[in-house]
Amino acid sequence: MEYREVSDIRDGMRIDWDVPIEMDDGIVLRADVYRPIAKGKYPVIMSHGCYGKWLHFEDGYETCWRLMCENHPDVPTGSTNRYQAWEVCDPEKWVPDGYVVVRVDSRGSGRSPGYVEHFSPRETKDFANCIEWAGVQPWSSGKVGLSGISYYAVNQWQVAALAPKHLAALCIWEGFNDFYREISHNGGIYNTMAQNWYDMQSKTVQYGLGVRGGKSRMNGDLVSGPETLTAEQLAANR
């Protein structure tokens, strides 16, 4: 089992792949760090979630990608779009303006091993640990802002409640904060969205799919690896 853990210079950025971030219980999460090539201390824009940091937007959501490009052509304009991912910012738009973009695969998803438990206290604590890690890195100004849509919006509110020292800003789009009224039982009526989402967007990028999962167009490596687990092991980890 091998992680990438290399640094590339490409498209005007330095990209550190699969950077390890150790949690307080010993689990190691994996993050990609997109930063300016010039040495310095820069503010950080972070996302932490379950959608697979190496899954390209178009590969995971082809119809959404096409409609976005047709209806909002300003989004893909001015970028190679090699690093576009679902519901997070494009580093090619932010790194040139002096920001570091950090994408973390949450526990049990993408490149990060462990037990998948969405929106749980454990996942929220992991997020706080990642913020505090980013705040003290040599390339960091000590200020960490959070950005992202939907899942990445909900967990911003959750982690902000823990008040991590280096958290400086939130940018929340399309989040919800009442699980019963806003996602599981809208108006008291059961909503099947959560189950469909879990099957189609969470389980499909669970850590351990390995060679049975996707391959990243960003770097050619496994989106949900490097390990390949059995179906029984995957089920036990969620």
Side-chain angles (χ1 to χ4, degrees):
M1 183 175 72
E2 293 184 0
Y3 281 93
R4 181 166 282 265
E5 289 193 34
V6 296
S7 184
D8 290 336
I9 293 179
R10 53 163 91 171
D11 300 313
M13 304 178 288
R14 182 179 293 278
I15 308 173
D16 305 319
W17 305 103
D18 268 348
V19 178
I21 309 176
E22 186 171 354
M23 299 296 101
D24 53 287
D25 65 350
I27 284 283
V28 176
L29 305 187
R30 296 288 168 163
D32 293 337
V33 179
Y34 299 83
R35 54 194 175 99
I37 296 170
K39 287 186 177 180
K41 293 184 179 293
Y42 304 95
V44 177
I45 302 172
M46 176 178 282
S47 59
H48 172 276
C50 65
Y51 293 140
K53 60 187 176 64
W54 286 1
L55 179 65
H56 192 277
F57 188 144
E58 187 177 11
D59 294 338
Y61 308 91
E62 184 178 2
T63 301
C64 294
W65 173 261
R66 177 177 54 79
L67 290 172
M68 183 191 73
C69 292
E70 289 174 1
N71 297 323
H72 303 281
D74 54 307
V75 176
T77 299
S79 172
T80 69
N81 297 298
R82 291 190 183 99
Y83 314 100
Q84 291 274 21
W86 181 245
E87 297 189 329
V88 293
C89 69
D90 179 1
E92 288 188 86
K93 297 286 185 78
W94 289 90
V95 171
D97 286 340
Y99 290 90
V100 173
V101 173
V102 178
R103 293 175 176 169
V104 186
D105 276 338
S106 57
R107 185 179 296 234
S109 301
R111 302 283 292 184
S112 296
Y115 186 79
V116 180
E117 194 174 5
H118 299 303
F119 302 122
S120 66
R122 177 66 262 180
E123 189 179 78
T124 304
K125 189 174 184 182
D126 287 348
F127 198 175
N129 289 339
C130 291
I131 292 167
E132 297 303 82
W133 171 86
V136 297
Q137 296 307 301
W139 35 257
S140 171
S141 70
K143 291 184 178 293
V144 180
L146 309 180
S147 176
I149 303 169
S150 191
Y151 193 103
Y152 298 105
V154 176
N155 64 17
Q156 288 182 57
W157 275 314
Q158 289 183 290
V159 76
L162 299 182
K165 174 183 169 184
H166 294 284
L167 179 59
L170 308 177
C171 183
I172 295 171
W173 297 2
E174 297 180 3
F176 60 84
N177 59 20
D178 186 320
F179 282 77
Y180 183 83
R181 290 178 175 84
E182 295 183 76
I183 189 167
S184 75
H185 288 77
N186 306 73
I189 301 169
Y190 176 64
N191 187 338
T192 60
M193 177 270 171
Q195 185 59 57
N196 291 330
W197 163 81
Y198 192 73
D199 290 341
M200 297 172 66
Q201 292 183 250
S202 175
K203 288 164 67 174
T204 53
V205 287
Q206 184 181 352
Y207 173 86
L209 280 169
V211 296
R212 298 196 306 276
K215 187 169 280 192
S216 177
R217 69 164 75 179
M218 299 177 194
N219 53 39
D221 215 332
L222 299 174
V223 170
S224 301
E227 225 177 343
T228 301
L229 303 178
T230 65
E232 292 75 18
Q233 288 172 313
L234 289 170
N237 280 343
R238 61 178 185 259

